[in-house]
Amino acid sequence: MTQQLLVRQEGAVLHITLNRPEQGNGVSDEMADAFVAALDRAAETSEFVVLRGAGDDFCTGRARDPNAPKPSGEAYVRRAEYEPIFNCYDAIRRCPIPVIGVIHGRAMGFGAAVAALCDVSFASDAARFNIPELQHNVMPTMVMSALCDRMNRNAVLWMTYSTDFIDAQRAMAYGLVSTVVPAARLDEEVAAFCEKLSKAPRPALRGLKEYMRVAPGMDARGATDYARSLHAMVNTASEMKKPH
């Protein structure tokens, strides 16, 4: 598509960059569709995905295309207009390979949701997060659908009710991100982690994501039985026996 979404292959790594820095990397529907398409093809060429935002911010939310028609006033018709965002959430979840988020600057609304949905998210210690929808008289259930299995109830409701920004350490305590690193070392820390992933056996990388995608929706017995089956299947794979 446009240069608003940059997709670059580097060995076994697929780099995806939101590239609207002058607009805080606000994601238009066209960008969202391209993002979904890139993630759905990612496993064909890559072992993991690294997602970044260009410029000063990770992503300041959804941005309507200036050429888009006025939103419909009919609720049933309006539902379809939300699909590009829900499709992004689903694409991260179903992508069979890990998606690594690199979060700096502001992650707002959709940006905060994507940071949480990534399998591992590195946050700069200068990153800030909020869910501002209520400021605009929008109920943020789209964002909440991405967070409800990532963060505890009180944290989600505090962020949605207050609309206040939180810092990276608090975001990690809430479960929005995996780890917080000094801004000056963000790229270095991500590169070191990617180096570790590149040495891990492929069946294990995919099996770990599969388990965490499926097991939380099961009861305890089902999650245990699924772990037992997946453990046997992955650990007997020939690739698991290769030296790394």
Side-chain angles (χ1 to χ4, degrees), residues 12 14 20 71 74 91 98 106 133-134 141 162-163 198 213 219:
L14 187 69
R20 295 179 85 192
E74 296 294 327
R106 294 174 295 171
E133 275 79 348
L134 277 185
T141 43
S162 75
T163 74
S198 69
R213 182 180 69 247
D219 61 22

Side-chain angles (χ1 to χ4, degrees), residues 8-126:
R8 174 174 60 88
Q9 190 77 44
E10 184 180 344
V13 185
L14 187 69
H15 293 273
I16 300 178
T17 302
L18 308 176
N19 189 41
R20 295 179 85 192
E22 70 288 350
Q23 294 177 285
N25 296 317
V27 172
S28 67
D29 289 352
E30 183 185 7
M31 287 175 70
D33 290 343
F35 179 64
V36 169
L39 283 183
D40 283 346
R41 295 191 303 264
E44 298 172 7
T45 60
S46 312
E47 296 305 324
F48 52 93
V49 174
V50 176
L51 173 64
R52 291 182 169 86
D56 295 333
D57 295 306
F58 174 65
C59 175
T60 55
R62 187 184 189 190
R64 290 189 63 83
D65 189 313
N67 300 318
K70 185 178 178 180
S72 171
E74 296 294 327
Y76 192 76
V77 176
R78 190 78 170 265
R79 277 180 53 171
E81 297 173 2
Y82 305 139
E83 287 307 296
I85 299 305
F86 287 118
N87 289 343
C88 286
Y89 298 162
D90 290 342
I92 298 172
R93 292 181 188 275
R94 71 175 174 257
C95 182
I97 59 178
V99 179
I100 315 303
V102 185
I103 318 302
H104 63 285
R106 294 174 295 171
M108 302 170 62
F110 174 78
V114 168
L117 284 168
C118 287
D119 301 296
V120 174
S121 288
F122 285 78
S124 153
D125 59 5

Side-chain angles (χ1 to χ4, degrees), residues 33-232:
D33 290 343
F35 179 64
V36 169
L39 283 183
D40 283 346
R41 295 191 303 264
E44 298 172 7
T45 60
S46 312
E47 296 305 324
F48 52 93
V49 174
V50 176
L51 173 64
R52 291 182 169 86
D56 295 333
D57 295 306
F58 174 65
C59 175
T60 55
R62 187 184 189 190
R64 290 189 63 83
D65 189 313
N67 300 318
K70 185 178 178 180
S72 171
E74 296 294 327
Y76 192 76
V77 176
R78 190 78 170 265
R79 277 180 53 171
E81 297 173 2
Y82 305 139
E83 287 307 296
I85 299 305
F86 287 118
N87 289 343
C88 286
Y89 298 162
D90 290 342
I92 298 172
R93 292 181 188 275
R94 71 175 174 257
C95 182
I97 59 178
V99 179
I100 315 303
V102 185
I103 318 302
H104 63 285
R106 294 174 295 171
M108 302 170 62
F110 174 78
V114 168
L117 284 168
C118 287
D119 301 296
V120 174
S121 288
F122 285 78
S124 153
D125 59 5
R128 297 183 297 147
F129 304 77
N130 85 326
I131 301 172
E133 275 79 348
L134 277 185
Q135 295 176 2
H136 308 292
N137 296 327
V138 174
M139 188 176 70
T141 43
M142 293 173 71
V143 174
M144 292 173 77
S145 73
L147 302 178
C148 62
D149 64 344
R150 262 49 178 183
M151 297 169 59
N152 70 61
R153 175 183 182 277
N154 296 60
V156 173
L157 287 174
W158 188 90
M159 289 191 71
T160 52
Y161 285 147
S162 75
T163 74
D164 289 349
F165 276 98
I166 62 173
D167 65 19
Q169 288 292 343
R170 193 166 177 184
M172 184 170 66
Y174 279 179
L176 258 172
V177 299
S178 309
T179 188
V180 178
V181 301
R185 288 177 41 211
L186 181 60
D187 289 340
E188 176 186 340
E189 294 284 346
V190 171
F193 182 75
C194 289
E195 179 66 19
K196 288 182 181 179
L197 283 190
S198 69
K199 296 176 181 177
R202 179 173 178 238
L205 284 181
R206 300 190 179 207
L208 285 167
K209 176 152 187 183
E210 179 180 333
Y211 185 76
M212 289 306 296
R213 182 180 69 247
V214 176
M218 296 178 163
D219 61 22
R221 171 48 58 194
T224 299
D225 288 345
Y226 184 48
R228 184 178 288 115
S229 296
L230 196 59
H231 183 87

